[in-house]
Amino acid sequence: MYQLTRVCKPSRAGLVTTHSRTGILRGTGTPFGRTGIPPPVLRPIRLLATDAPPKSSRPQIPTEPRPRSRFLSRTLLVAKYTGYAVFSSAFGILLLGAGIFIHDAFTYTNKHIDRVPVLPLALHPERGGPKNLPVVRALVDDVEDDEAKSLLDKPKLVIIGAGWGAVSVLDMLSFGDYHVTVVTPETFTTFTPLLPSAAVGTVQVRSLVEPIRKIIARLRGHFIVAKAVDLVMSERLLELETLTATGESQRVYLPYDKLIIACGAVSSTHGVPGLQHCLQLKTISDAQAIRRRILDNFETASLPTTTPEERKRLLSFVVCGGGPTGVETAAEIYDFCQEDIMNYYPKICREEVSIHVIQSREHILNTYSEAISKYAEEKFRRDGVDLVTLARVSSVHPDHVVYTMRSPEGTITAHEIPTNFVLWSTGIAMNPFTRRVSALLPNQVHKKAIEVDAHLRVKGAPPGEVYAIGDCATIETSVVSHLLELVDEADKNKDGKIDFDEFNFMVSRIKYRIPMAGSHLEKVRTLFDLYDSDADNSLSLNELCMLLEEIGNKITALPATAQVASQQGKYLGKKLSQLVKKREVLEANDVQDLDEAICGPFRYTHLGSLAYIGNAAVFDLGKLSFMGGLIAMYAWRSIYWSEQVSARTRALLMIDWIIRGVWGRDLSRL
C-alpha cells in the first residue's frame, strides 16, 4: 500500500493543508506533479506521526457539524416545548379531575343524625320583660355538640347588623371568647362599594354577598333572621320582630351581656316630596331594582310604537347627589351605554341617552381633593354627562324631576328634567331602631346617628354594655360637655382657675378623651393667650367654656364610609377579645373602667378614598392624589378585589370581570 506525504503547515483556521503541488510517491522515489500523474485534490489530511509537530503545539481539528436546516431546527424546538405544554396541561387536568373526584367521594356521603340534643327552653321559651314576650334564653343549637356546649357559660355577645363593622368585629374574635349571636333581616353580608357595578350587570350580585352563617361558623356563632325594634337596658333585653311559618310577625326578647349596634342607616329625605318615585342604592335588592328599571326603559324605548318624546324621557337618567355612590352609578350607566347598548340595541337609543347629576355643592366628590373633583368633572363633560351643581331637588314626580338654582343676584329659578329613572343618594339618616335607642337615652341630641364616646360606648347606656359602630354611630365632638371633669382633673390647687401648666395637662386629657380634637390643640400657648381676656395668666370657667366650645365646633365628624366602619369593628373586636382574657385580673385589682384599662380610645387612620368614573378611577390619599385611565381603573379593581370577605367572592368577582371583558354584560332581565 502506498501513502502520499506532503510538506504541510497549519492554516489560519487550524486545518492542515498542502504547501506545494509537488509530492513523492513513497516506496518508489518517483516524483509526481511534473509527470503525467495528476496531483491529488487539496484537502485537509492527517499528519504522520513521524512528521507531526509536538503535541503541545499541535492544532486541534474540529469536526464539521452535519448541516441542518434552520427552519427544521426551530420547528423541532417548537414541537418539543409544545409537547411539554400539552403533556403538562393534560396531566394537570387529570390531576385536577382526580382531586375533584376524591373530594366528591368524601363529601357526598350519607350522614345520619339521630337524637340531636335540644334544651327545653329553646323549644318552649319562658315569657318575661316589660311586654311579657317570649325570652330566648336558649337556642336550638346550643347543646348539639361539645363545642357548642363549651360556649354556654360564656358572656352573650349580640351583634345587630351584618355590614362592614359587624363583619370586622367577627373577624377579630376568637373561638371561645363569647357566645355570639348575629341579628339581621338579611342572611348575607354585602360588599357595598361595588353595588353600582351590580346595578348595570358589570358584576353579578352573587359575587358581592357572603352568607352570615359561613362567617360565624368559625366562632360557632348563632344567627337569627329578625329586625331589632326596641331595647330594655335595665334588664339587658333586645326586642326582635321575626316571622312565623305562616308569615305572621311575632316579637321576642333576646338577652345579652354585651350589645353591638351596627345596623347602618337609611337615606336622608331632606323633606323632599315624591321620594317614593326614586330608587336607592344601599342593598342588593336596590341594585336588582335599578337593573330591571334600566333594561325595561331600553326595551320600551326600542319599540316602534314609542314616540320620540317618550323615548327621550325613558332614556333620561337622573342621579340626585354628587357623592361617590352617585358619581359611580352615573359612570356605570355611561359605560353600559357605550359598551353594550351601542352593540345590541337600536343606535337611536344610544343617541337619545342623557345622564344628569344634580349636586347641591359647587363640585361633585366634594369630600375629595379639589384636583380630583375637577378631574372627575372634566371627565364627565367629555363624556357628555350633564353636571348640575349648586342646585337642590325640590320635588320628584313620576315623569319628571324639579330642581331649583340660585343665581348670583339671588333669584331662584326652577327647572324640570323629564325622566323615568331617578336615583336618590344624598346623605344618611337614622333607621327606626337607632332612632328608638336615641330617644331612650339622655344627652342623645345628634339628628343622624347615635352618639358614642371615644371607646365607641353609647352615651347614656350602662358602661361597657352597649356599643355602636358604623353609619348608625357618630363619635362625640363636644368638648365642653366634659368641662367639669376636665377642670376637676386639671385644677391641682383647687382655686377654680386654670393656669398655663394646668391647661397643658388639660390639653393632654382632651387629646386622650377625644382624639379628633388633637389637630386643633397644637398651639397651646396661642390658645391660652387668645382666651385669657383679662390677662391674669389663668383661665376662668367662663373663658375655658368658650375655648372648649370653639374647639368642639371645629372638629369634623368621621364620614359614614365603609373604611370607618371597618376600622371601628376591628378596634372593638380586638378590645372585646382582650377584655374577656384579662377580666379576672382586672376585677381582682378592682378596676372600674375596663374598656380604658384594656386599650386607649379609638383613633381613625384615613387610608385614602377612591372612586370609579367610567373606565378611569381617582384616588385621594390625603396629601397625595392619583387619577388616571385604565391603569388607575385596574388599581381600583385590585383594591376592591383584595378587600373581599372570602376567597369565594374573590374568585367570582374575577370571573365576572373576565366575562364582562370578553362577552360583555348580561342583558337579561331577571
Side-chain angles (χ1 to χ4, degrees), residues 80-81 133 169 177 235 279 326 366 378 385 390 398 422 447 459 462 469 475-476 494 501 574 592 598-600 609:
K80 173 183 174 182
Y81 286 104
L133 299 175
V169 171
D177 290 346
E235 301 182 35
L279 297 163
N366 60 289
E378 183 61 28
V385 177
L390 295 175
V422 182
K447 297 180 180 180
K459 292 183 62 178
I469 58 177
I475 299 177
E476 62 175 340
K494 305 300 179 183
D501 292 335
K574 183 178 180 180
Q592 298 299 321
I598 290 295
C599 62
S609 303

Side-chain angles (χ1 to χ4, degrees), residues 205-250:
V205 294
R206 283 288 178 187
S207 304
L208 307 182
V209 300
E210 184 70 13
I212 295 298
R213 291 192 178 274
K214 288 190 175 182
I215 296 176
I216 63 177
R218 179 180 60 87
L219 304 173
R220 291 306 306 270
H222 309 274
F223 177 60
I224 298 177
V225 179
K227 185 165 57 176
V229 293
D230 205 350
L231 190 61
V232 185
M233 295 185 186
S234 58
E235 301 182 35
R236 289 192 292 194
L237 296 175
L238 174 66
E239 185 177 342
L240 306 177
E241 183 178 356
T242 63
L243 295 177
T244 63
T246 59
E248 299 177 357
S249 64
Q250 65 175 356

